[in-house]
Amino acid sequence: MQQKQISRKLSDIECICGFKSKKFTDVNSLFSFLGGVVIFSLFYLSLSFFRGQHWAVDMFFHGGEKDRSSIPYFTVFLGSWALSILLIKIQKLHVQRKALELSLLPDDRNFVLTCASARLILEKINLLVSNPKDFVLLDRIQRALVNLKNLGNVSAVAECLNTQARNDDEYLSGSYTVLKGFIWAIPVLGFIGTVLGLAKAIGNFGTVIDKGAGNPQELIAALGDVTGGLSIAFETTLIALVMALIIQLLMTWVLNREELFLDECSDYCHRYLISRIKSVDLAQDDGD
């Protein structure tokens, strides 16, 4: 028995790790969450070696001499979770692209797509691929050819392919909903940390006024601590904005690659399927 050439269960990272793989390039939430935990832990483990040496490292940790907020922990974790999702999507997209390398149709230019040849192509797909519905391209082709084999209507193949292309595009776009939510939530967390820091600094300012009203030097020294507290408060926003920017840029890059992949799938279908259907139509017209 000939061995399957490609299989998502043997190449998809979620399946390899024992998790239920989501459809196409969508990501399992639990698996991405655990990936985020790993990235978060590695990030803080790396920073811990340099803690106390520079303010850019210390601002990621709470407490200390500056009494920093714990908000950066939540911000970094959301960023780590988002990064985990993007890394998993990249790997799953790589698996999906393997279907484009398969040779499903004969190289003969005179080959035309009919009900009989559609059956042969379906058999070849099942021979080369374990569960073709796991792949965007093969699922699209299989649906179209099944309709052709069962209904015998060649004109419906192009319509089926176009409809499925729109459905795939909508589904893959919807897989970014969680990421878009994280990109919105990360800056909000930063602003919350800044507001909390400002509230604390303003409260300390009132205390300074009461205690240092009779001594200008003590008042000036205390005000220095208050303004220093204000600078610490804005660190949470800085972390959040940089984190959101990085995730947004990475998401845009991955989304662009997925859109390019969908375009390649549509081009594959038009080149190897729809063009052969036109040959059938021309042959029928000549016969009339």
Side-chain angles (χ1 to χ4, degrees):
M1 182 176 179
Q2 186 174 355
Q3 187 178 0
K4 306 288 186 181
Q5 286 193 2
I6 60 174
S7 171
R8 191 181 68 168
K9 291 183 178 180
L10 300 178
S11 53
D12 187 287
I13 187 171
E14 291 177 343
C15 295
I16 293 174
C17 294
F19 288 82
K20 183 179 180 180
S21 180
K22 296 291 289 291
K23 184 179 179 181
F24 301 149
T25 60
D26 201 0
V27 177
N28 184 296
S29 299
L30 176 59
F31 183 66
S32 62
F33 173 83
L34 295 177
V37 172
V38 173
I39 295 174
F40 175 84
S41 302
L42 292 176
F43 178 79
Y44 270 97
L45 179 62
S46 301
L47 287 185
S48 63
F49 293 105
F50 305 97
R51 187 175 183 179
Q53 300 181 21
H54 197 277
W55 67 270
V57 174
D58 293 340
M59 69 180 180
F60 287 92
F61 297 89
H62 78 286
E65 296 180 358
K66 304 294 185 179
D67 193 21
R68 287 181 167 89
S69 170
S70 59
I71 293 294
Y73 292 133
F74 301 98
T75 303
V76 173
F77 178 73
L78 284 185
S80 300
W81 193 350
L83 180 59
S84 173
I85 293 175
L86 290 172
L87 292 176
I88 295 171
K89 288 181 75 67
I90 291 173
Q91 196 277 336
K92 292 171 75 72
L93 180 60
H94 175 72
V95 174
Q96 290 291 323
R97 294 187 66 87
K98 291 182 178 180
L100 291 170
E101 302 173 1
L102 294 176
S103 178
L104 303 178
L105 278 74
D107 296 330
D108 185 7
R109 294 184 178 181
N110 297 322
F111 174 81
V112 292
L113 189 60
T114 63
C115 297
S117 60
R119 186 179 296 107
L120 295 176
I121 296 173
L122 287 172
E123 292 176 356
K124 187 173 183 179
I125 290 175
N126 291 323
L127 181 65
L128 295 178
V129 184
S130 175
N131 198 2
K133 291 184 178 180
D134 291 338
F135 296 86
V136 176
L137 175 63
L138 300 181
D139 178 62
R140 192 181 299 183
I141 293 176
Q142 193 174 50
R143 288 174 184 270
L145 295 183
V146 167
N147 287 336
L148 175 60
K149 185 184 71 172
N150 295 336
L151 302 178
N153 186 359
V154 295
S155 62
V157 174
E159 181 180 355
C160 179
L161 288 172
N162 292 331
T163 300
Q164 193 59 34
R166 290 192 296 269
N167 293 339
D168 292 339
D169 183 68
E170 292 176 0
Y171 181 83
L172 293 180
S173 297
S175 67
Y176 285 86
T177 301
V178 174
L179 277 172
K180 293 176 180 178
F182 285 170
I183 292 174
W184 173 86
I186 289 173
V188 171
L189 278 175
F191 294 143
I192 291 174
T194 297
V195 170
L196 292 176
L198 290 174
K200 182 177 180 180
I202 292 174
N204 292 337
F205 181 76
T207 303
V208 167
I209 295 296
D210 294 337
K211 292 183 178 181
N215 191 333
Q217 293 182 350
E218 292 182 1
L219 178 61
I220 294 173
L223 285 175
D225 295 335
V226 172
T227 55
L230 292 176
S231 65
I232 297 300
F234 283 102
E235 288 179 352
T236 57
T237 298
L238 174 62
I239 294 173
L241 292 178
V242 172
M243 188 74 63
L245 176 62
I246 293 174
I247 298 301
Q248 177 66 58
L249 292 176
L250 289 175
M251 187 188 77
T252 302
W253 179 73
V254 176
L255 178 59
N256 181 68
R257 287 181 59 86
E258 285 202 4
E259 291 175 346
L260 179 61
F261 166 69
L262 291 178
D263 290 340
E264 291 178 355
C265 289
S266 298
D267 180 69
Y268 185 100
C269 293
H270 280 275
R271 180 180 301 177
Y272 295 106
L273 295 181
I274 296 179
S275 63
R276 305 301 173 92
I277 294 174
K278 291 180 180 178
S279 298
V280 175
D281 293 339
L282 290 175
Q284 292 176 345
D285 291 340
D286 292 340
D288 295 337

Coordinates of all heavy atoms in Angstrom, one line a residue, residues 46-59 61:
S46 N 15.0 35.5 31.1 CA 16.1 36.2 30.5 C 16.4 37.5 31.1 O 17.5 37.9 31.4 CB 15.8 36.3 29.0 OG 15.7 35.1 28.4
L47 N 15.3 38.3 31.4 CA 15.4 39.6 32.0 C 15.9 39.5 33.5 O 16.6 40.5 33.9 CB 14.0 40.3 32.0 CG 13.5 40.8 30.7 CD1 12.2 41.6 30.9 CD2 14.6 41.7 30.0
S48 N 15.6 38.4 34.2 CA 16.0 38.3 35.6 C 17.5 38.4 35.8 O 18.0 38.8 36.8 CB 15.5 37.0 36.2 OG 16.0 35.9 35.5
F49 N 18.3 38.0 34.7 CA 19.8 38.0 34.8 C 20.3 39.5 34.8 O 21.4 39.7 35.2 CB 20.4 37.2 33.7 CG 20.1 35.7 33.8 CD1 19.2 35.1 33.0 CD2 20.8 35.0 34.7 CE1 19.0 33.8 33.0 CE2 20.6 33.6 34.8 CZ 19.6 33.0 34.0
F50 N 19.5 40.4 34.3 CA 19.9 41.8 34.1 C 19.2 42.7 35.0 O 19.3 43.9 34.9 CB 19.8 42.2 32.7 CG 20.5 41.3 31.7 CD1 19.8 40.3 31.0 CD2 21.8 41.5 31.4 CE1 20.4 39.5 30.1 CE2 22.5 40.7 30.5 CZ 21.7 39.7 29.9
R51 N 18.4 42.2 35.9 CA 17.6 43.0 36.8 C 18.5 43.8 37.8 O 19.4 43.3 38.3 CB 16.6 42.1 37.7 CG 15.6 42.9 38.5 CD 14.6 42.0 39.2 NE 13.6 42.8 39.9 CZ 12.6 42.3 40.6 NH1 12.5 40.9 40.7 NH2 11.8 43.0 41.2
G52 N 18.2 45.1 37.9 CA 18.9 46.0 38.8 C 20.1 46.7 38.1 O 20.8 47.5 38.6
Q53 N 20.3 46.4 36.8 CA 21.4 46.9 36.0 C 21.0 48.1 35.1 O 21.8 49.0 34.8 CB 22.1 45.9 35.2 CG 22.6 44.7 36.0 CD 23.3 43.7 35.1 OE1 23.7 44.0 34.0 NE2 23.5 42.5 35.6
H54 N 19.7 48.1 34.8 CA 19.2 49.2 33.9 C 17.7 49.4 34.1 O 17.0 48.4 34.3 CB 19.5 48.9 32.5 CG 19.4 50.1 31.5 ND1 18.2 50.5 31.0 CD2 20.4 50.9 31.1 CE1 18.5 51.6 30.2 NE2 19.8 51.8 30.3
W55 N 17.2 50.7 34.0 CA 15.8 50.9 34.2 C 14.9 50.3 33.2 O 13.8 49.9 33.5 CB 15.6 52.5 34.2 CG 15.8 53.1 32.9 CD1 16.9 53.6 32.4 CD2 14.8 53.2 31.8 NE1 16.7 54.1 31.1 CE2 15.4 53.9 30.8 CE3 13.5 52.9 31.7 CZ2 14.8 54.2 29.6 CZ3 12.8 53.2 30.6 CH2 13.4 53.8 29.5
A56 N 15.4 50.1 32.0 CA 14.7 49.5 30.9 C 14.3 48.0 31.2 O 13.3 47.5 30.7 CB 15.4 49.6 29.6
V57 N 15.1 47.4 32.1 CA 14.9 46.0 32.5 C 14.0 46.1 33.7 O 13.0 45.3 33.9 CB 16.2 45.3 32.7 CG1 15.9 43.9 33.3 CG2 17.0 45.1 31.5
D58 N 14.3 46.9 34.7 CA 13.6 47.0 35.9 C 12.1 47.4 35.8 O 11.3 47.0 36.6 CB 14.3 48.0 36.9 CG 15.7 47.6 37.3 OD1 15.9 46.4 37.2 OD2 16.5 48.4 37.7
M59 N 11.8 48.1 34.7 CA 10.4 48.6 34.6 C 9.4 47.4 34.3 O 8.2 47.5 34.3 CB 10.3 49.6 33.5 CG 10.5 49.1 32.1 SD 10.3 50.5 30.9 CE 10.7 49.6 29.3
F61 N 9.4 44.7 36.1 CA 9.2 44.0 37.4 C 8.5 45.0 38.3 O 8.8 46.2 38.3 CB 10.6 43.6 38.0 CG 11.3 42.6 37.1 CD1 12.2 43.0 36.2 CD2 11.1 41.2 37.3 CE1 12.9 42.0 35.4 CE2 11.8 40.3 36.6 CZ 12.6 40.7 35.6

